[in-house]
Amino acid sequence: MKKVYIVSHSHWDREWYLPYEQHHMRLIQLVDDLLELFETDPEFKSFHLDGQTIILDDYVQVRPEKKPLLEKYIREGRFKIGPFYILQDDFLISSEANTRNMLIGFEESKKWGSPVKLGYFPDTFGNMGQTPQIMREAGLDVAAFGRGVKPTGFNNVVINDEKYASQYSEMWWEGPDGSKILGLLFANWYSNGNEIPVDKEEAKLFWDRKLADASQYASTGHLLMMNGCDHQPVQKDLSAAIRVANELYPEIEFVHSSFEEYIAALKADLPQELSTVSGELTSQETDGWYTLANTSSARVYLKQMNTEVERQLENIAEPLATMAYTTAEQYPHDTLRYAWKTLMQNHPHDSICGCSIDEVHQEMVTRFQKAKEVGKFVADEAAEALMAQIDTSAFPEGSKPFVIFNTAGSAKTDVAEVTIEWTRKPFSQGKPSNLYYELKETKLPELAVVNAQGKTVAAEIIDEGVTFGYDLPKDKFRQPYMGRYVKVRMFMEQMPAMAWESFALVEGAAADLQADEAIVKEQGRLLENEFLKVIIQEDGSLDVQNKETGKEYTGLMVFENVGDIANEYIFKQPVGDQAILSSGKKAKITVQSANAFAAEVLVEQELEIPVSADERLEEEMKAVIEFRDRKAQRSKETAIFKISTKIKLQKGSKQLQFETSYNNQMKDHRLRVLFPTGIEAAYHEAESIYEVVQRPNKVDRAWENPTNPQHQHSFVNIHNDEHGVTVANFGLNEYEVLSDRGTIAVTLLRAVGELGDWGYFPTPEAQCLGEHTVRFAVAFHGDEADKLRTYHEAMNFQVPFSAYQTTKHVGQYAADHQYMKIEGDAFALTAFKRKEHSVEIVTRGFNMTGTEQPLRLSIAELAPQRCNLLEEPVDVKVTDQIKPAEIVSYSWSK
C-alpha cells in the first residue's frame, strides 16, 4: 500500500526579489498564521521551518512576546527546526563558514528544542563533494537536495557511464573520503505537493498528476509531497484537503507528516539497487545552462568582501585570540559568535551569489563591514594581550619594538608592513596645530631595524610624517595626540605558520637595500629572481621561465572582454560576438619600485570595447525573453577601457603576484584574465570545500552551453606528469579551463542589468560601475610535492602578515616563537580557535590529496584528541597519518 507523506514548509529566502524587511514582514505573518493554526487545528501536525534557525531570531525580533508559545510548539515537535543557522550557498563560502553554519545551527536548535537530523539543501546552487563526510561528522546520515543530479525515472534506464544520474529520487551519495549517506533528490522540486485542492474534482486532477510524477522516481511506496514553495503562506485548509485525498484514493494513505517520519519509513523499505553518486553534484550531465555557476562572478565586489571578512575571522582574529587568551572567560566567544552570525547572514544562496535586487546587496555591504570591524577589534585586542606576554626586554632602551605574526596555515614568504609611532605630543602639552608643526619640523634620526638577536636587518623605512592619533584607555577618557610616524616594510622569507618574530626600530645606520643583482631590469621589461625569469612583452603579456624545471610559458596575463546579455545567475555571450583581447596592443610599462627584496612594475593597457549591449537588450529583458532566445548584440558605440596592473616579484618567491585596477563605465560585459599554460590534461584541480577537487576538462556529451564555468576558492591548477601551473586569487570565485593551450581563465568582472529567473527585476548596480581592484597570482611547479607547495602559497596569498608596535618589557614567551608546528605538506589548516564555550584549542584541516599522507601537529604542553565538526570528542585514535581527503579536527588540552 502506498503512503503519501505531506510535509508542510515554506522555503524562506531571507532576501531576494524584495528587500530583507519586505520578506521579514511576510515571515512574521507566516509564523503568526502557524501559531494560530497549531492552536485551532489538531490535525495540522507540524511545519518544517526550512532547515534554518535564523527564522526564529527574525520572528522573535518583532514578536518577543510570542517566544514562549513558539518554544512550546518547538518542544512539542510541531515546529521542525534546524539543523543549520542559514541555508547557505556552500560553494561560495569557506570550508569553515560551512562548518560554523552547522555548529551554530545545532547549538541554536538545542536552545529551543532539538534539530531535525537532516542535511537540508533544497535550493543550493550545486552541492559540495564533501557533504557526505561533513554530514557524518555532525551525526547526520541523510541529506535532501534539489539540484545537481539528473533523475531518469523508470522509463529512462541509467547508463553505466552516467556518474551523476539516478533512476530514483533516493540514492547513495559518497564523498571523496569514502563517507556515504542517503541522498534525497527533490526530483519534482520542493513544491510538488503545493496548494492541494479541497474541491474533489480539482483534487482528483491534482493527485492523478502528482502521484504519477512522484511514483516515476520513488524507489519505495513511500511518496514525499512538499506542501509549500518560496515564501509560501501556510495552507490553512490542508487538513480538509488530506481528508478529501484519503476519500478519493482509499488504496493510498495520505498523512500530514514530517521528515523524521518519512525518513524512518523510507529507510525500512529501501531497495538494494539504489544508484550511487559521488563527490560534487553540479548538474554535470545536463545541457549546462542552469548549473547557476555564473553566480560566482555576479557582483564580484561581494565575493571580495566575503573573502576579506572570512580571512579576518578565520585566519587573523581567531588565531591571535587563541594564542593570547588561555581561559574560556578571556577568549571572546560571544564577540566572535556575533561576528560570525553577522557574516553568515550574507551567506544564503540568493545573497552571497549576488542574484538579488540592488537593495539586498546594499544591506549586505553593511553586514560585511560590521563583521569585519568586529574581527579587527578582536584581532587588535588579542595582539595587544599577546604582545604583553612576549619578552622584548633585550631590545635597546629608546627603541620601538614591534612584532610580526604569521597566522596562515603554512610557512609564508612575503613583505610585512607596520607603521611605527616614533614620538608623540599629547594635546595636554599645547595647542594641536603647534604640536603638529613642532613634530613636522623635527628631523628624524637615521633609523634601522634590528632583530631579537640584535642584528641589523634589511628594511625599507619611510617617513610617514605627522598625523593626529588617539588612545582609548579602558579606565580613562580618550587621549588625543599628534604623532610622528614611520612605515617599515620587511621581507619575511619562509616565516613558519602560527609564529611570531620580534624586531625593533632603533637609531642607527640602516642595512643596505641594494640587491647584488637587481630583480627588475631593462626598464621594467625583465623581472628575475632565483626561481623565475619574467619577460614583459610590448603588449603587456608575459613569458615566464621556471628556472628550476626549465619549462617556459608564453602569452600569460592576457585580458579578454566579451558581451554578456544574460543575468546575475547566468552568463550568455551574444551570438557572433568576438572576444576583444589585450594582446597585440602596445602597453605602457613603468618601474614602480625596486629594492633588495622586491620589484614592482606597472603595466597599463587599453581596450576599446562597446559601452553596453544594444537597445534590444532592455526590451528583451522587459519582455522576460529567456536569455538563450535573446537577439541583442553589443552596441556599435565604443569607449576606452583602461586596465592598470602592478606585477610584483619578490626575492626567494616562486609566486608572481598581480594587482589589477580599472574604472568600469561599460555595461553588459565580462572581463577575464587568461593564463595559457600549454599543458594538455584530462583533468584540473581547484580548492573547494575541505577538498582539492579534481574536475574534468571536457564536458558531458549532453552539454550545450559554450562555456563551462566552475567555482574555486583560493586556486585552480592544471598539470601533467612533469609540471604544472597554479593560479591563485583573492575573492575571484569563477574560472574556466579552456581547451585552447590549456588556458586558465579567471573572471575579474561580470556586468549585467537584471536579476533573471522568473520575472523582470532590474539591477543597475549589478553593472558594477566604478573603480575596482582585483588581486591574483601565478606559480609554477614540477612534481607532486612541488605542486602542494603552490597550493599553500595560494592559500597564504589571501592571508597577510599581522604586525603591531609594542613596548620594551619582560614576558613569558620568547621574542621569536612558533606556537603550533605543522608537519605534513598535504595538510591544509582551516581552523585554529578555542572550542565553543570552553578553553580547549580546536584545530581543523583536510588532506588535499587522494592518498594517505603523513601529518603531525604539536602545541607545547598540550595533547590532541580527535573531535568531530561539532567539536564533540570521538573515539578515534590520533595517529601520524591522515587518510585520503579526510577532514581532521583535534581538541587540545593539558
Side-chain angles (χ1 to χ4, degrees):
M1 180 179 182
K2 284 187 176 179
K3 188 171 182 178
V4 176
Y5 300 77
I6 299 168
V7 175
S8 292
H9 79 109
S10 184
H11 176 53
W12 204 264
D13 303 296
R14 284 185 91 233
E15 50 195 17
W16 181 21
Y17 54 85
L18 292 171
Y20 164 67
E21 290 298 348
Q22 287 283 346
H23 285 305
H24 188 189
M25 295 303 105
R26 286 163 174 78
L27 173 67
I28 305 306
Q29 293 173 355
L30 170 66
V31 179
D32 282 347
D33 288 345
L34 284 164
L35 289 171
E36 181 181 355
L37 198 57
F38 288 150
E39 290 281 308
T40 59
D41 184 0
E43 294 179 57
F44 191 91
K45 293 184 178 179
S46 65
F47 189 89
H48 186 73
L49 271 180
D50 203 33
Q52 48 180 328
T53 61
I54 195 170
I55 287 175
L56 304 172
D57 292 343
D58 291 344
Y59 181 74
V60 172
Q61 185 180 28
V62 177
R63 296 271 197 269
E65 74 281 2
K66 295 289 184 70
K67 184 177 180 180
L69 189 60
L70 191 62
E71 188 172 18
K72 170 182 180 290
Y73 286 121
I74 291 171
R75 296 197 180 279
E76 288 181 3
R78 306 286 293 275
F79 274 124
K80 302 293 185 179
I81 65 170
F84 305 140
Y85 177 60
I86 50 92
L87 290 187
Q88 81 279 31
D89 181 88
D90 45 39
F91 279 116
L92 286 180
I93 66 174
S94 69
S95 301
E96 282 304 310
N98 276 282
T99 290
R100 307 310 171 88
N101 179 42
M102 189 165 61
L103 189 64
I104 291 175
F106 265 80
E107 185 172 319
E108 298 278 301
S109 296
K110 290 173 182 177
K111 288 178 183 177
W112 290 89
S114 60
V116 175
K117 294 296 185 71
L118 171 68
Y120 196 60
F121 307 95
D123 198 17
T124 309
F125 299 167
N127 294 283
M128 55 191 170
Q130 285 282 32
T131 300
Q133 186 176 182
I134 292 171
M135 295 300 100
R136 285 285 184 185
E137 283 275 308
L140 307 178
D141 61 0
V142 185
F145 51 93
R147 302 180 189 272
V149 173
K150 181 175 72 176
T152 62
F154 298 120
N155 297 322
N156 185 2
V157 178
V158 178
I159 301 170
N160 290 335
D161 63 355
E162 288 186 304
K163 293 175 59 181
Y164 304 104
S166 174
Q167 184 177 13
Y168 302 119
S169 51
E170 300 82 37
M171 68 207 73
W172 298 114
W173 184 3
E174 186 174 20
D177 71 313
S179 296
K180 189 177 283 190
I181 60 174
L182 178 62
L184 307 178
L185 173 67
F186 295 124
N188 304 115
W189 206 228
Y190 53 73
S191 58
N192 66 329
N194 193 27
E195 297 183 349
I196 302 171
V198 174
D199 177 83
K200 287 186 178 182
E201 186 174 335
E202 292 178 7
K204 186 69 168 61
L205 292 171
F206 176 91
W207 283 116
D208 282 352
R209 184 178 75 255
K210 296 294 185 178
L211 291 170
D213 289 345
S215 298
Q216 181 182 359
Y217 301 112
S219 63
T220 72
H222 305 287
L223 304 182
L224 176 64
M225 290 289 169
M226 298 292 288
N227 177 236
C229 197
D230 301 347
H231 310 105
Q232 179 76 29
V234 62
Q235 183 173 346
K236 295 182 179 181
D237 61 357
L238 181 62
S239 297
I242 293 174
R243 288 195 295 271
V244 168
N246 277 308
E247 183 180 337
L248 288 172
Y249 301 86
E251 74 284 6
I252 301 174
E253 182 182 3
F254 294 80
V255 295
H256 195 218
S257 188
S258 64
F259 274 110
E260 293 101 325
E261 184 180 356
Y262 165 70
I263 291 169
L266 178 69
K267 284 181 176 180
D269 285 346
L270 281 176
Q272 293 288 324
E273 65 273 16
L274 287 185
S275 300
T276 297
V277 294
S278 59
E280 295 182 336
L281 306 181
T282 55
S283 302
Q284 294 99 320
E285 292 172 348
T286 66
D287 63 12
W289 280 112
Y290 279 91
T291 68
L292 308 186
N294 287 125
T295 55
S296 57
S297 60
R299 302 179 189 259
V300 166
Y301 65 92
L302 294 176
K303 281 66 170 179
Q304 292 175 292
M305 296 180 77
N306 182 63
T307 300
E308 184 178 21
V309 180
E310 287 178 340
R311 298 290 75 77
Q312 180 66 47
L313 295 180
E314 297 171 27
N315 300 104
I316 300 175
E318 287 182 342
L320 286 174
T322 299
M323 292 186 285
Y325 306 116
T326 57
T327 70
E329 291 73 27
Q330 293 174 312
Y331 188 82
H333 286 291
D334 293 343
T335 308
L336 285 167
R337 174 65 63 93
Y338 168 71
W340 270 109
K341 291 178 77 171
T342 303
L343 171 61
M344 287 193 294
Q345 288 169 24
N346 283 346
H347 286 172
H349 48 269
D350 294 306
S351 302
I352 191 59
C353 288
C355 54
S356 296
I357 61 172
D358 290 342
E359 292 87 344
V360 165
H361 300 302
Q362 291 163 5
E363 188 162 359
M364 284 179 65
V365 170
T366 300
R367 293 190 202 119
F368 279 134
Q369 292 169 337
K370 285 158 65 78
K372 176 184 172 182
E373 290 304 323
V374 175
K376 287 172 61 178
F377 176 84
V378 169
D380 292 347
E381 292 279 296
E384 183 178 345
L386 181 54
M387 287 189 300
Q389 304 171 63
I390 297 173
D391 193 340
T392 58
S393 60
F395 289 116
E397 292 294 333
S399 66
K400 304 295 181 182
F402 60 94
V403 183
I404 296 174
F405 299 94
N406 176 21
T407 52
S410 58
K412 181 176 172 66
T413 295
D414 205 346
V415 173
E417 185 176 292
V418 62
T419 299
I420 302 297
E421 179 192 286
W422 181 249
T423 187
R424 70 164 61 177
K425 288 184 177 293
F427 279 15
S428 59
Q429 293 182 2
K431 188 177 179 182
S433 58
N434 293 340
L435 301 176
Y436 175 88
Y437 288 108
E438 286 176 23
L439 286 174
K440 185 176 181 180
E441 292 164 8
T442 303
K443 185 178 180 180
L444 281 176
E446 188 173 5
L447 297 173
V449 173
V450 297
N451 62 19
Q453 292 72 45
K455 181 181 177 181
T456 301
V457 295
E460 184 178 9
I461 301 171
I462 305 166
D463 185 355
E464 291 286 277
V466 181
T467 190
F468 163 75
Y470 60 90
D471 289 332
L472 295 175
K474 290 181 169 48
D475 58 350
K476 296 178 183 178
F477 192 55
R478 60 178 181 259
Q479 308 286 306
Y481 59 84
M482 290 294 178
R484 183 71 181 268
Y485 292 92
V486 174
K487 180 182 290 183
V488 176
R489 303 178 77 241
M490 297 179 56
F491 179 66
M492 308 297 293
E493 188 168 3
Q494 287 299 104
M495 184 176 177
M498 295 302 159
W500 62 77
E501 294 183 20
S502 300
F503 302 90
L505 186 65
V506 299
E507 292 189 31
D512 185 9
L513 275 180
Q514 296 305 310
D516 295 335
E517 187 173 357
I519 294 177
V520 61
K521 305 170 186 176
E522 299 181 11
Q523 291 79 48
R525 294 190 179 276
L526 175 62
L527 292 166
E528 187 171 8
N529 67 5
E530 309 95 301
F531 305 109
L532 300 178
K533 181 178 180 180
V534 182
I535 298 172
I536 304 177
Q537 299 293 347
E538 281 199 357
D539 64 1
S541 65
L542 312 178
D543 295 343
V544 179
Q545 181 188 46
N546 181 351
K547 295 164 75 171
E548 289 187 305
T549 64
K551 298 293 182 181
E552 296 183 351
Y553 308 86
T554 60
L556 304 180
M557 201 193 79
V558 171
F559 294 97
E560 171 208 74
N561 187 265
V562 298
D564 188 349
I565 57 170
N567 52 54
E568 292 180 315
Y569 291 95
I570 299 167
F571 163 79
K572 173 65 167 64
Q573 194 170 351
V575 175
D577 181 44
Q578 297 296 310
I580 299 168
L581 303 174
S582 62
S583 53
K585 304 173 180 68
K586 189 170 183 178
K588 181 181 178 182
I589 301 169
T590 310
V591 177
Q592 292 288 100
S593 64
N595 54 41
F597 49 77
E600 189 173 89
V601 173
L602 177 67
V603 176
E604 297 173 279
Q605 297 163 288
E606 293 184 351
L607 299 181
E608 186 175 354
I609 67 174
V611 297
S612 66
D614 62 27
E615 66 280 357
R616 282 176 291 187
L617 180 59
E618 185 174 358
E619 189 70 18
E620 289 173 327
M621 290 191 299
K622 287 180 178 179
V624 195
I625 293 176
E626 207 261 0
F627 63 90
R628 286 177 290 185
D629 296 326
R630 291 176 182 174
K631 307 300 182 185
Q633 294 289 307
R634 301 191 79 176
S635 171
K636 301 298 183 184
E637 181 184 353
T638 62
I640 297 299
F641 187 87
K642 295 182 179 180
I643 303 172
S644 299
T645 302
K646 296 177 184 177
I647 304 174
K648 182 167 69 173
L649 181 62
Q650 299 171 335
K651 169 189 170 185
S653 176
K654 301 179 182 181
Q655 185 186 64
L656 190 62
Q657 299 182 358
F658 307 88
E659 183 178 282
T660 295
S661 300
Y662 45 86
N663 184 351
N664 178 44
Q665 295 301 321
M666 284 46 160
K667 300 177 181 180
D668 314 312
H669 67 118
R670 182 186 70 184
L671 179 70
R672 301 198 296 190
V673 61
L674 310 180
F675 288 91
T677 67
I679 296 172
E680 292 186 10
Y683 295 90
H684 67 274
E685 295 181 346
E687 186 199 358
S688 189
I689 309 305
Y690 288 123
E691 73 169 320
V692 174
V693 63
Q694 186 181 82
R695 294 172 178 147
N697 292 335
K698 290 186 177 180
V699 297
D700 184 78
R701 62 184 177 277
W703 200 271
E704 296 177 4
N705 190 337
T707 67
N708 182 23
Q710 303 281 351
H711 300 88
Q712 66 174 334
H713 279 265
S714 64
F715 65 82
V716 57
N717 166 277
I718 188 169
H719 66 274
N720 57 25
D721 293 338
E722 296 179 356
H723 67 113
V725 177
T726 299
V727 177
N729 75 88
F730 189 96
L732 305 174
N733 293 109
E734 181 182 283
Y735 75 91
E736 184 177 3
V737 174
L738 309 176
S739 58
D740 181 26
R741 297 183 61 200
T743 298
I744 295 173
V746 178
T747 306
L748 308 182
L749 171 73
R750 197 162 67 83
V752 294
E754 69 161 344
L755 188 157
D757 203 355
W758 60 276
Y760 175 50
F761 301 94
T763 56
E765 291 182 12
Q767 298 285 7
C768 300
L769 302 180
E771 298 282 353
H772 296 267
T773 298
V774 295
R775 295 175 57 231
F776 47 96
V778 63
F780 310 88
H781 66 80
D783 61 14
E784 178 74 13
D786 200 25
K787 181 187 73 174
L788 292 175
R789 181 262 307 167
T790 69
Y791 291 178
H792 285 292
E793 288 175 347
M795 293 175 178
N796 290 349
F797 180 67
Q798 295 191 348
V799 185
F801 290 118
S802 297
Y804 294 87
Q805 184 175 357
T806 185
T807 60
K808 176 182 163 70
H809 56 260
V810 175
Q812 61 174 320
Y813 290 125
D816 298 341
H817 179 66
Q818 185 174 12
Y819 196 95
M820 179 178 73
K821 294 182 180 179
I822 304 173
E823 300 173 62
D825 293 340
F827 181 71
L829 184 73
T830 62
F832 185 73
K833 62 186 287 287
R834 296 280 174 177
K835 182 178 179 180
E836 298 296 302
H837 312 294
S838 184
V839 67
E840 295 102 308
I841 292 175
V842 169
T843 59
R844 184 164 36 251
F846 66 97
N847 184 347
M848 293 189 286
T849 76
T851 59
E852 188 169 79
Q853 296 282 344
L855 172 65
R856 189 169 185 274
L857 309 181
S858 55
I859 302 175
E861 301 180 359
L862 299 181
Q865 179 184 3
R866 284 292 295 266
C867 62
N868 60 23
L869 288 181
L870 299 181
E871 302 181 358
E872 301 162 336
V874 294
D875 188 19
V876 177
K877 185 179 179 181
V878 175
T879 69
D880 289 344
Q881 298 290 317
I882 183 170
K883 297 174 185 176
E886 185 181 19
I887 304 168
V888 175
S889 301
Y890 296 125
S891 62
W892 299 76
S893 58
K894 291 186 178 180

